Amino acid sequence: MKHFGRSSRRRLLQMGAAMGGGLLAGQQKVLAWDTPGKLGTPLGPYGERSPFEKAVRWRRESGTPETGSSFTPLQDSVGTLTPSSLHYERHHAGIPTIDPAKHRLVVHGMVDRPLSMTVAEIRRLPSVTRTLVLECGGNSASEWAARTGPDVQRSYGLASCSEWTGVPLSLVLAEVGVRPGAAWVIAEGADACRMERSIPLAKAMDDILLAYGQNGEAIRPAQGYPLRLIIPGWEGNTSVKWLHSLKLTDQAYMARDETAKYSDLMPDGKTRIFTYQMEAKSVITFPSGGQTMPGRGLYELTGLAWSGRGRIERVEITTDGGRSWVNAQLQEPRLPIAFTRFRLPWRFDGRDAVIASRATDESGYIQPTREALVAVRGTNSIYHFNGIKYWTVKADGTVTNVEV
Amino acid sequence: MWKCSALALVLVWAGAAALTAQSPKYGVGRPATPEEIRDLGAAIAPDGGGLPEGSGSVAEGRAVFAARCARCHGPKGEGAVGATLVGGQGTLGTPRPLKTVGSFWPYATTVWDYINRAMPFDEPGLLKPPEVYAVVAYILNLNSIIGDEGVMDARSLPKVKMPNRDGFVADPRPDVGNAK
């Protein structure tokens, strides 16, 4: 799926370098030149990527291997979709192995007809497919305290974009008959910690999916197989994976992961709670930290923008440290709450350049600077950082993160 | 005549629509059983709804904590590979906030709910309800929220007022980002 996008100049150059150069004319020609008259490998039942492709998730160290985060290699991404195998992970108690034939979703609490459904039964219901970004509420957490991530993967890589297929939750709620007075849905997962989140009923009636499909196949185990919530535009933790219970209640349950975690501590000591919304964000993926420009000349500067509030309207680029901004080209169609690829031809002339992107979404929200965020929210906040990310392309071609 | 028939049709249609709205349209699945709801309905409300029978004391909790919790959280909840559970009151508005059960968590019911659902980390579900009450009592006592003789049960636990109960505010965003 990731090969649908047009290969960037950088990738072609890398491939050329890896294979001895001069091999830019395509696969057929490489084979003919490299292995004349030799048969290729047989067909296979489930695809693998080329052995020459090395992009992998980066895993932050944690005290226990079952908890923590792994980050999508956005610097290697092309187009707008994230391969399922490179989708970011955030687990709190490991990945459960679930036999879908034995898995059930129970919808209960303030309903007329408490319902128990198998995954096969849920798949009988009318389904929808949406391309949506998921972003961890803690993505870019390291940016708050100015310990800026050295590359785009480690600083912005807890965001990924997939095509999700499932059943509108509102349809299932109509089946069970929500009782008057119900205002919240308490979602629980089947992982070892039975992840729990309280979700306002209004959102559940609006656009939440009971998802079983991701990028054309069943959701991967690490993404919630066989059933998860997908909550468009909200922090990833609310899209409870391995979903097995939805309880309709008249109150939020103040679960650990919506009070002690995934809440935003402000400088005055007060804490914002139920900060579900992910706001507009963008980042340049090439050139980005850790990369090296192969030489002077014309390049395609590119990156990703997204917003939990809808479509991306505009992405502006600066290559002079924020003094001037120009509009980037946006890849159509610009889907709401999905990765939007932006591009700008840019000539690297061998002089220092400080580059950044700034996204505006259809609500008129403009991605703020880190300084503007910190001025209001301080640096104890951890979650929901969406500030502008600057990279410095140095005269020697190396690219680093910088404080501006 | 034509009008009468049309009216009758509309009435029949309206009646059917009302019936449809009150009964399942697709009819998939089966009624959830009481056992399923009991097993999956373990979430505890902040008003104490869902808390089971049983009780546990600070003293009992000290023993359970030493056996089941101290390995990761330290003998006195000071934290190790597991989170720091004790201390930090008065630090939330400082440059170095220490967010613990005592300083940060707004509801004691959440402590019960989380220990019951997710702890011990490598063996969740191990503790029986009286042991969960006891461990909660011990952690609250370590934070000087209840006394040494404290006993937690379904009635006393929701009445505990955590130090940071009033420390949470609604999300005001967008608070930044609507102007260049």
Side-chain angles (χ1 to χ4, degrees), chain B residues 42-80:
Chain B
I44 306 303
D47 64 7
L51 281 172
E53 290 304 304
S55 69
S57 67
V58 171
E60 290 161 344
R62 186 176 293 115
V64 177
F65 192 93
R68 303 293 185 193
C69 317
R71 180 164 59 95
C72 293
H73 293 284
K76 295 281 186 185
E78 64 272 31

Side-chain angles (χ1 to χ4, degrees), chain A residues 63-64 66-67 92 104 106 108 113-117 121 124-126 171 175 186 188 192-194 196 244-245 247 251-256 259-260 263 265-277 279 309 314 316 358 364-366 368 372-373 376-377 380 382 384, chain B residues 21-33 36-37 39-47 49-50 81 83 91-97 99 104-107 109-110 113-114 116-118 121 124-125 164 166-180:
Chain A
T64 46
E66 300 85 3
T67 61
H92 297 73
R104 284 183 168 272
V106 178
H108 59 110
R113 293 171 296 277
L115 188 62
S116 174
M117 289 176 290
E121 286 164 344
R124 280 175 48 191
L125 296 169
L171 188 152
E175 287 287 288
I186 314 302
E188 185 180 291
C193 68
R194 289 181 295 149
E196 176 194 17
H244 70 175
S245 172
K247 182 179 185 181
Q251 58 191 310
Y253 267 29
M254 300 295 174
R256 178 258 198 180
T259 53
S263 60
L265 179 60
M266 295 293 109
D268 64 358
K270 295 287 186 187
T271 302
R272 297 176 180 180
I273 191 170
F274 302 128
T275 42
Y276 303 115
Q277 183 76 52
E279 302 191 289
R309 290 198 179 92
R314 183 159 65 141
E316 298 159 284
R358 176 169 69 192
Y365 178 95
I366 301 165
L373 285 168
V376 174
R377 303 187 202 163
N380 292 333
I382 302 174
H384 305 112
Chain B
Q22 289 169 18
S23 61
K25 184 173 177 184
Y26 299 98
V28 300
R30 58 159 171 74
T33 65
E36 283 175 330
I37 293 173
D39 290 347
L40 295 175
I44 306 303
D47 64 7
V81 65
T91 67
L92 296 182
T94 72
R96 292 183 65 91
K99 296 194 280 189
F104 196 56
W105 292 37
Y107 291 92
T109 48
T110 306
D113 177 272
Y114 187 66
N116 182 57
R117 74 173 52 246
F121 174 73
N164 196 37
D166 300 323
F168 288 79
V169 296
D171 182 2
R173 295 177 301 157
D175 54 346
V176 185
N178 277 339
K180 281 190 189 176

Side-chain angles (χ1 to χ4, degrees), chain A residues 8-334:
Chain A
S8 75
R9 187 175 305 270
R10 174 180 57 89
R11 295 205 63 79
L12 286 171
L13 286 166
Q14 280 180 344
M15 187 184 293
M19 302 183 73
L23 307 177
L24 299 179
Q27 191 83 346
Q28 285 301 321
K29 191 153 187 181
V30 171
L31 278 176
W33 175 85
D34 195 31
T35 53
K38 268 193 174 178
L39 277 173
T41 56
L43 293 70
Y46 197 84
E48 298 283 340
R49 64 178 172 180
S50 161
F52 299 102
E53 293 298 317
K54 303 296 184 193
V56 290
R57 290 182 289 225
W58 173 78
R59 188 167 175 279
R60 194 204 306 275
E61 275 188 42
S62 67
T64 46
E66 300 85 3
T67 61
S69 310
S70 70
F71 296 63
T72 295
L74 296 177
Q75 70 279 5
D76 296 312
S77 69
V78 294
T80 55
L81 288 176
T82 308
S84 302
S85 47
L86 294 176
H87 194 289
Y88 84 85
E89 300 171 285
R90 171 73 178 103
H91 306 313
H92 297 73
I95 303 162
T97 301
I98 296 176
D99 178 351
K102 294 172 183 161
H103 188 76
R104 284 183 168 272
L105 171 67
V106 178
V107 188
H108 59 110
M110 296 175 69
V111 300
D112 290 333
R113 293 171 296 277
L115 188 62
S116 174
M117 289 176 290
T118 64
V119 179
E121 286 164 344
I122 290 169
R123 280 181 173 240
R124 280 175 48 191
L125 296 169
S127 59
V128 295
T129 294
R130 283 192 70 178
T131 298
L132 292 165
V133 66
L134 269 190
E135 183 180 9
C136 179
N139 193 22
S140 314
S142 62
E143 305 292 296
W144 280 113
R147 296 187 300 274
T148 56
D151 56 48
V152 68
Q153 181 168 19
R154 280 178 270 186
S155 55
Y156 281 62
L158 292 178
S160 304
C161 189
S162 288
E163 184 201 80
W164 300 99
T165 295
V167 176
L169 178 53
S170 59
L171 188 152
V172 169
L173 293 179
E175 287 287 288
V176 299
V178 176
R179 287 191 172 158
W184 292 83
V185 182
I186 314 302
E188 185 180 291
D191 48 343
C193 68
R194 289 181 295 149
M195 176 55 64
E196 176 194 17
R197 288 298 302 255
S198 304
I199 297 150
L201 180 60
K203 181 70 170 174
M205 298 303 290
D206 181 16
D207 62 357
I208 296 178
L209 290 182
L210 286 174
Y212 48 76
Q214 179 186 11
N215 294 332
E217 61 181 352
I219 290 175
R220 296 282 172 101
Q223 297 308 319
Y225 182 84
L227 189 70
R228 73 174 302 174
L229 290 180
I230 290 291
I231 305 191
W234 284 14
E235 61 184 5
N237 182 255
T238 59
S239 289
V240 173
K241 300 183 293 247
W242 313 293
L243 184 74
H244 70 175
S245 172
L246 293 172
K247 182 179 185 181
L248 279 289
T249 67
D250 59 0
Q251 58 191 310
Y253 267 29
M254 300 295 174
R256 178 258 198 180
D257 283 289
E258 60 204 16
T259 53
K261 305 289 179 182
Y262 300 97
S263 60
D264 304 56
L265 179 60
M266 295 293 109
D268 64 358
K270 295 287 186 187
T271 302
R272 297 176 180 180
I273 191 170
F274 302 128
T275 42
Y276 303 115
Q277 183 76 52
M278 300 306 290
E279 302 191 289
K281 191 165 179 174
S282 70
V283 68
I284 294 173
T285 56
F286 175 79
S288 63
Q291 296 173 335
T292 302
M293 305 299 289
R296 296 182 189 192
L298 188 61
Y299 291 88
E300 183 176 76
L301 185 156
T302 185
L304 293 164
W306 63 96
S307 170
R309 290 198 179 92
R311 282 183 184 78
I312 290 297
E313 258 336 289
R314 183 159 65 141
V315 177
E316 298 159 284
I317 306 288
T318 180
T319 56
D320 58 11
R323 282 190 293 279
S324 64
W325 298 81
V326 296
N327 286 340
Q329 301 157 358
L330 302 184
Q331 175 65 54
E332 301 286 347
R334 290 171 289 122

